Structure formats: C-alpha cells, structure tokens
Amino acid sequence: MPDWKQEIRNRLADQRIDPAREESIIEELSQHLEDRYQELLSGGGTEPEVRARVLDELEGTHSFAAALPAAKNRFSRNATPPAPLASGNLFSDLRRDLRFGLRSMIHAPAFSIFAVLTLALGIGASTTVFTVVNTLLLHPLPARDPSGLVCVYTTEANSGKQSGSLLPTSYPNLRDLQTRNNVFNGFAGFSPPMVLTLADANGSER
C-alpha cells in the first residue's frame, strides 16, 4: 500500500505551515487519496497505474491546492478540510461525503453542537406551531362554540366514587337525553377509537 502521508509530507516540505496544522492536512489528504486509490483498484486498474493516476490527480486537481491557503494561515485552527472530488458513483460519493462531514464536525465540535441544538429547537418550534394551527384553524371541531362543549357520561348509582366509575352512554339513553334536554343546545353521540385484538386458531390480528 502506498505511503500517502509521506507523499504529501514531501510536497509540503517547502511550505511554511504550522506543524499541528500540517499534520491535520496530511491526515485529511491521505484519507482522500486512500479512498480514491481503493476506488480505482476496484475498477480494475493495476497497482502502478492506479498509484500514478492518484498522484497525478493530487497534483492536477484543486484538492491539494485548496488546502494550502487555509494551511498557510498559522492562526486558522478550525479550517474545514478540503472536500473530496466527485467520482460519478452515487453510493461512493455519498459514503465519502458522510465521512467528510463527520471529519468536519470533529474539527469544529462547538459549532456542530450549536448547529444541532439550533436545528432541534427550530424543528420543535415548527412542529408545535403546525400542530396548533392544524388543530385550531385547518381542522377545527365541527361545533359553533368548541370551548363550550361538555362530555356526558353514565355513572353507577350505587358507587360511592365520584370519579373512576364513568361508563359510556347507551344509544337509548342518548335518545332520551336528546328529547328531554332543556339545558344544552343539543346532544351528539360519538364512539372513541378502540384497538382490539382478534385471536383464533390461526393466530391473532389487530
């Protein structure tokens, strides 16, 4: 396997770069060259041909030159590493882009955390606002005055509990309430959704 780090180190020998920043550039570019090297090898190229092509791309493309302006600045400690070149393969490019993004996040952890928190707050606020607007404006309750709605249940006369013994209202009782009502504007019945599981010899089904 070619020593990409040494190849890059030789090319950076005449550059006045901070040692810490130089090691970062060597690490980033060597990973990029290794990815490209493995990609070309998997395409059927021979080892000498692939190695020469990768080195030619290093010299002829913008990947090596793009790293030098940020590297020459001794005070640029959080510069983003150069992005890998597109290969034309969707999955290969996606894998390299994800790896590049992860390395970029590691280089700037404070910014990455701030960006994630900002996105989380923005998505949470947007979801809350949409839920309220969707409930109140887009899908309001089919009533003239939703705030004045009440729910009527049946209770056990012999139970001493004031709560916890609420029973659903039967349809005949609902009809009686509708005909004898002199308190509310009207009565309407509803059945809440219930999840049931039917079981037989072949198994169970929700």
Side-chain angles (χ1 to χ4, degrees):
M1 180 182 296
D3 189 357
W4 302 119
K5 291 186 178 181
Q6 187 60 43
E7 293 286 350
I8 299 172
R9 189 174 285 108
N10 293 338
R11 287 162 173 75
L12 294 178
D14 58 343
Q15 303 290 333
R16 300 179 60 185
I17 305 175
D18 182 78
R21 179 58 184 155
E22 181 178 358
E23 288 301 320
S24 176
I25 293 176
I26 293 174
E27 186 68 27
E28 297 295 337
L29 288 180
S30 64
Q31 182 62 55
H32 167 66
L33 295 181
E34 179 62 24
D35 292 343
R36 183 60 172 159
Y37 176 78
Q38 295 296 335
E39 179 185 343
L40 293 177
L41 277 182
S42 63
T46 62
E47 197 279 336
E49 294 175 350
V50 170
R51 184 177 184 276
R53 182 175 175 181
V54 171
L55 292 177
D56 289 342
E57 290 182 359
L58 176 65
E59 296 289 353
T61 62
H62 69 278
S63 59
F64 183 72
L68 295 182
K72 290 181 179 180
N73 186 354
R74 292 176 176 266
F75 303 100
S76 179
R77 298 184 179 181
N78 294 324
T80 303
L85 297 177
S87 64
N89 187 304
L90 177 62
F91 296 102
S92 176
D93 290 343
L94 178 61
R95 183 175 64 253
R96 291 164 58 184
D97 289 342
L98 291 176
R99 189 179 302 173
F100 170 75
L102 181 60
R103 291 200 300 265
S104 301
M105 293 176 64
I106 294 175
H107 275 76
F111 175 79
S112 301
I113 294 175
F114 176 77
V116 171
L117 291 178
T118 302
L119 287 174
L121 292 175
I123 294 173
S126 300
T127 303
T128 302
V129 171
F130 173 77
T131 301
V132 174
V133 172
N134 183 65
T135 302
L136 300 181
L137 300 181
L138 302 182
H139 296 87
L141 293 175
R144 187 179 306 170
D145 183 15
S147 62
L149 293 176
V150 296
C151 191
V152 177
Y153 286 91
T154 301
T155 60
E156 295 183 34
N158 297 331
S159 176
K161 299 180 180 179
Q162 295 183 355
S163 62
S165 60
L166 301 179
L167 302 175
T169 302
S170 66
Y171 182 73
N173 286 343
L174 174 62
R175 298 295 296 175
D176 290 340
L177 291 173
Q178 288 177 334
T179 56
R180 301 179 184 181
N181 168 51
N182 56 10
V183 177
F184 301 104
N185 292 331
F187 269 93
F190 71 95
S191 297
M194 299 178 61
V195 179
L196 302 177
T197 301
L198 302 179
D200 56 15
N202 297 327
S204 59
E205 180 180 355
R206 289 173 65 85

